Amino acid sequence: MGDMGQGQTTAIVQQCLDALAGDSDPKSIIRSLLDQSVSRLHMLCANLLYRSYPRLLRPPVNLQADELLSPVVERLLKALRETRPPTVRRFFALANQHIRWELNDLARRLDEQPAAVELREGLFPAPASSGSGLTPQTRRMLAAIDALPEEEREAFSLVRIHGTTQAEAAQVLNVSTKTVQRRLSRAMLMLADSLADLRPHQPPTADA
């Protein structure tokens, strides 16, 4: 049933995108597109929030996925006035980008509150994957992900950042699960190579 629902969502979203490409007054089509994809957008918001920005779940922000969804939809409304994603894959890549931008903006505003930052650092140390952009390591990791080739970046973002299954990622990207696995493996190898100096140094062995 889950696969059928995912497939139906993909087909309906593609129909909306096709209609959007040839319509001179796209407001109603954009609204329909966002209405049809809202469940998957909510899932992407929740996965990225809980996996990569957990400090935004805590005081003083107390962010919930439902609250994140609203500004993300507003961002997409504005973006879709200027761009016309031709495929479901491109549409959710656009959504992924705007979810990350919204979360980064929220994290940045939190960091600009000295009292909140002091409290957080004293009681709730932020993980390296929080996406706050404060540390050089965080900036490098985000830059390395953004620098991946498009196919590898999409697979990595969906599976490792958003937390979707490989089967769900395959539905979004309109490829096979095996293809997602290959792209994810390539992405991991590329990131391991570009971020090799960030690995913890292993102490020398007795034989060294």
Side-chain angles (χ1 to χ4, degrees):
M1 185 65 181
D3 291 342
M4 183 180 297
Q6 290 284 342
Q8 289 174 344
T9 298
T10 299
I12 294 171
V13 169
Q14 186 61 61
Q15 289 174 4
C16 291
L17 293 173
D18 291 342
L20 185 62
D23 197 288
S24 58
D25 185 18
K27 291 181 181 179
S28 63
I29 297 175
I30 291 174
R31 281 291 181 184
S32 178
L33 169 62
L34 295 174
D35 287 344
Q36 294 297 335
S37 57
V38 68
S39 294
R40 198 177 296 183
L41 291 173
H42 184 274
M43 178 190 71
L44 294 176
C45 286
N47 284 338
L48 187 54
L49 173 61
Y50 279 86
R51 288 174 64 90
S52 297
Y53 296 78
R55 70 193 186 96
L56 295 179
L57 297 165
R58 299 189 289 261
V61 181
N62 296 315
L63 184 65
Q64 298 299 316
D66 289 344
E67 298 169 320
L68 175 61
L69 181 61
S70 179
V72 168
V73 167
E74 290 300 318
R75 283 177 175 269
L76 286 172
L77 277 170
K78 294 177 182 178
L80 289 168
R81 294 172 191 157
E82 305 294 332
T83 186
R84 297 289 187 271
T87 64
V88 175
R89 169 183 166 184
R90 295 279 188 177
F91 171 70
F92 283 109
L94 180 68
N96 176 20
Q97 183 180 57
H98 282 282
I99 294 169
R100 287 181 58 190
W101 283 349
E102 180 64 24
L103 286 166
N104 283 339
D105 284 347
L106 290 170
R108 193 174 300 112
R109 287 198 290 271
L110 177 61
D111 294 334
E112 291 169 355
Q113 302 177 32
V117 172
E118 183 179 353
L119 177 64
R120 186 208 71 226
E121 291 179 347
L123 298 178
F124 305 108
S129 61
S130 67
S132 68
L134 282 178
T135 67
Q137 290 87 351
T138 299
R139 294 192 194 98
R140 277 199 57 197
M141 284 186 278
L142 291 174
I145 293 170
D146 287 338
L148 290 170
E150 183 179 14
E151 292 180 346
E152 284 73 18
R153 183 177 68 249
E154 288 173 340
F156 181 88
S157 295
L158 285 168
V159 176
R160 290 306 181 99
I161 297 179
H162 287 302
T164 62
T165 66
Q166 293 183 2
E168 289 169 341
Q171 286 279 356
V172 171
L173 300 176
N174 196 29
V175 298
S176 69
T177 303
K178 288 291 186 182
T179 297
V180 170
Q181 292 173 350
R182 287 194 296 270
R183 293 177 183 177
L184 183 60
S185 295
R186 288 198 298 267
M188 295 297 291
L189 289 172
M190 292 176 190
L191 290 173
D193 183 60
S194 62
L195 301 172
D197 59 303
L198 296 183
R199 295 177 185 172
H201 293 292
Q202 298 294 328
T205 64
D207 296 333

